[in-house]
Each structure stands twice: as structure tokens, then as C-alpha cells.
């Protein structure tokens, strides 16, 4: 079989250009939750590894959040602040991995040294930007860049889902070890939060990109069952909404402790309300 030279050249050119940073450029415009980039542009941005090796930075983040909670609610219960920071941090590797899996069928390394984020300096101090700093990635055999030296090819989508789960869990384990020594949350709560972040972000990647069902399918693929130390399989399910239409929702594994704030009650999906609906 003879392949036209122009076709060969087009394939070669795409393989040359189709790096992980090209994936990030394409994916960035398919969501509006955060700024997504391949570098740390300067002030306000930090590597995940900086927080894990210098826990004082996480402490400063918790203090900033506590100040914000007091401004908004008059009180800042330690467990509430700790839970918010837990969830926000874990969404950084979870959302980066979920977006690239969903749209590109690629998985970056997700190592803390190769991820960064920016915390909002105005108002609520949650992450408003994510940076994927590494160049290596896992992909499928038909990926146009499968021959690049930074690409590791896996057999199929099931294997790629297993890579995402493993890379994310490795990052989460480093966070749990660091944060568990300084927060009022126990290991079970921290791993429940890690499970929530991954399940929710896989769902959001599809929802944000216009195909919610595909995001739900990704969550079922990555979290098809419980993989210890994660605390459950995907909890996404359909339930009737206020207008009678069936909508996707999920049961949380972890509590955000927002009910401890003045005037607040448990969220509808709070695990404190029991498991009768699962």
C-alpha cells in the first residue's frame, strides 16, 4: 500500500506539533472553570510540590480561607475551612487529568512537581488557574503523537483509565500524608475527599464540554468499582429534578462541614444524611 507523500507529511507535521501543551491549548477553550496553561507565568502561581514540601503554605491558605469565611458568615469552624482546602487542592490534579482524558484521551503524569495552580487573591481564595507543567503523557495506540519520546502508549481505554486512577491516587497520597498531619480531618475523610474530587471532575469534564453523558461514562470507566484507598466506585446516578426530569447527580463521600456555618444546613448529597438513596 502506497501512502501519498502529502498525507505522510501531514501526519509527520501533526506528530511533531501535537505535544501535551497542544492538548492543553485545545482543552482550555472547552471549559470555563479555571485558566488552564502549560507554564507558571509568575506571581500568584505555585507548584503543588511547593505546598507539600512546605506545609506552611497550606497553613497560610487555610488562614486566608478562615478570614473569608468570617467575613461571609461571622465564624470559621476549623473543620469547614479544612474541608474546603482539601476539596480545592484535590480538584487540581483531578480536573487536569479528567479534562485531558475526556477530550484528548491522554493522561499527564500528575506528579506534584509537574502541576501548579493559582489561588484567587480577591474574594474566595479558591484555585482559579491550573498549570500542567510536564511534557510526558500516556495515550492510546492511534494517538497522532504516539511515536513521540514523551508518549507512553497503553493498550486501550480501560488501561488508560487505570493510569489516570493510579497517577491521581499517587498524588492524592502525598497530599493526604502532608495534610493529615496538620488538619483536623482524619485519613478516612481525606480519602473520601479524594474520591469525590476525581468522580466529580470526570463528570464536570463532560458537562463543561457539552457531553454530560460522556463524562458520566468516563467516571464509570475510571471508578468502575472501589479501588482502595479511594472509598467508593463512582456514585453518579439519575434522579428526578424539581420539574420531574431525570438529572445526573452524585452522592458525596466526604462532608464539606458547611452545616457548621451559621444559618447553614447539610447539603442535599451530604453523607451525614445516610445512604438510603444510594
Amino acid at each position: 500500500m502506497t501512502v501519498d507523500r502529502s498525507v505522510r507529511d501531514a501526519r509527520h507535521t501533526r506528530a511533531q506539533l501535537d505535544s501535551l501543551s497542544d492538548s492543553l491549548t485545545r482543552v482550555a477553550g472547552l471549559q470555563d472553570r479555571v485558566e488552564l496553561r502549560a507554564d507558571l507565568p509568575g506571581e500568584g502561581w505555585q507548584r503543588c510540590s511547593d505546598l507539600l514540601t512546605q506545609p506552611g503554605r497550606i497553613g497560610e491558605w487555610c488562614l486566608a480561607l478562615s478570614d473569608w469565611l468570617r467575613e461571609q458568615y461571622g465564624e470559621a469552624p476549623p473543620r469547614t475551612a479544612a474541608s474546603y482546602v482539601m476539596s480545592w487542592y484535590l480538584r487540581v490534579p483531578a480536573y487536569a487529568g479528567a479534562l485531558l482524558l475526556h477530550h484528548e484521551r491522554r493522561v499527564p503524569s500528575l506528579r506534584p512537581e509537574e502541576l501548579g495552580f493559582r489561588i484567587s487573591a480577591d474574594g474566595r481564595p479558591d484555585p482559579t488557574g491550573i498549570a500542567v507543567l510536564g511534557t510526558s503523557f500516556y495515550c492510546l495506540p492511534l494517538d497522532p503523537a504516539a511515536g513521540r519520546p514523551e508518549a507512553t502508549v497503553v493498550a486501550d481505554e480501560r488501561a488508560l483509565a487505570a493510569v489516570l486512577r493510579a497517577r491521581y491516587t499517587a498524588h492524592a497520597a502525598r497530599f493526604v500524608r502532608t495534610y493529615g498531619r496538620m488538619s483536623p480531618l482524619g485519613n478516612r475523610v481525606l480519602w473520601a475527599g479524594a474520591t469525590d474530587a476525581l468522580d466529580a471532575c470526570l463528570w464536570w469534564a463532560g458537562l463543561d464540554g457539552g457531553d454530560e453523558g460522556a463524562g458520566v461514562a468516563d467516571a464509570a470507566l475510571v471508578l468502575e468499582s472501589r479501588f482502595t484507598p479511594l472509598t467508593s466506585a463512582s456514585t453518579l446516578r439519575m434522579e428526578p429534578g424539581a420539574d420531574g426530569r431525570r438529572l445526573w447527580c452524585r452522592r458525596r463521600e466526604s462532608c464539606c462541614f458547611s452545616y457548621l456555618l451559621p444559618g447553614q444546613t447539610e447539603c442535599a448529597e451530604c453523607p451525614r444524611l445516610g445512604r438510603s438513596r444510594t
Side-chain angles (χ1 to χ4, degrees):
M1 177 180 177
T2 302
V3 179
D4 182 84
R5 179 177 177 179
S6 63
V7 174
R8 291 200 309 268
D9 290 346
R11 289 176 179 172
H12 179 67
T13 300
R14 185 175 178 190
Q16 279 185 318
L17 297 176
D18 206 5
S19 64
L20 186 60
S21 63
D22 294 312
S23 285
L24 289 168
T25 298
R26 289 191 291 268
V27 167
L30 301 175
Q31 57 82 47
D32 59 6
R33 290 180 188 270
V34 294
E35 178 185 358
L36 193 66
R37 55 190 308 135
D39 64 341
L40 292 178
E43 186 175 355
W45 290 82
Q46 55 192 327
R47 292 179 188 268
C48 290
S49 56
D50 293 338
L51 279 78
L52 300 185
T53 58
Q54 304 170 51
R57 293 191 180 208
I58 303 180
E60 291 172 0
W61 189 7
C62 289
L63 288 174
L65 174 56
S66 294
D67 289 342
W68 181 81
L69 288 172
R70 290 189 190 93
E71 290 175 3
Q72 299 296 312
Y73 299 98
E75 296 181 19
R79 281 185 294 171
T80 308
S83 181
Y84 279 33
V85 166
M86 171 193 72
S87 296
W88 290 344
Y89 178 94
L90 289 166
R91 287 174 193 168
V92 172
Y95 194 54
L99 282 173
L100 287 163
L101 175 75
H102 179 75
H103 292 292
E104 298 283 301
R105 281 312 192 238
R106 292 178 174 180
V107 175
S109 82
L110 299 181
R111 295 175 64 244
E113 292 79 10
E114 296 183 5
L115 283 176
F117 63 102
R118 177 186 61 206
I119 298 172
S120 175
D122 300 315
R124 192 173 73 165
D126 57 339
T128 56
I130 296 175
V132 179
L133 306 171
T135 59
S136 63
F137 60 92
Y138 298 82
C139 65
L140 298 174
L142 295 181
D143 189 293
R148 293 178 66 101
E150 62 267 35
T152 299
V153 179
V154 300
D156 52 30
E157 290 191 342
R158 188 181 181 89
L160 195 63
V163 169
L164 173 58
R165 188 171 58 246
R167 300 307 306 167
Y168 170 77
T169 301
H171 187 138
R174 289 180 61 178
F175 174 77
V176 168
R177 285 195 299 272
T178 297
Y179 200 52
R181 292 192 291 265
M182 59 184 297
S183 84
L185 307 177
N187 268 20
R188 172 59 173 75
V189 174
L190 293 172
W191 278 112
T195 306
D196 281 334
L198 183 58
D199 196 18
C201 286
L202 287 161
W203 175 27
W204 294 345
L207 181 64
D208 296 344
D211 193 341
E212 183 179 16
V216 172
D218 283 344
L221 181 66
V222 176
L223 294 172
E224 60 180 343
S225 62
R226 178 184 175 183
F227 296 91
T228 305
L230 300 176
T231 59
S232 78
S234 174
T235 65
L236 283 157
R237 66 198 187 282
M238 296 200 84
E239 287 195 350
D243 59 0
R245 292 187 303 165
R246 291 175 63 80
L247 303 172
W248 285 106
C249 60
R250 67 175 304 277
R251 184 204 72 227
R252 287 179 58 99
E253 283 288 293
S254 64
C255 182
C256 65
F257 296 103
S258 292
Y259 74 93
L260 296 176
L261 294 167
Q264 303 298 304
T265 60
E266 289 90 348
C267 307
E269 297 301 321
C270 181
R272 288 172 50 83
L273 298 179
R275 306 281 181 171
S276 60
R277 294 170 296 171
T278 64

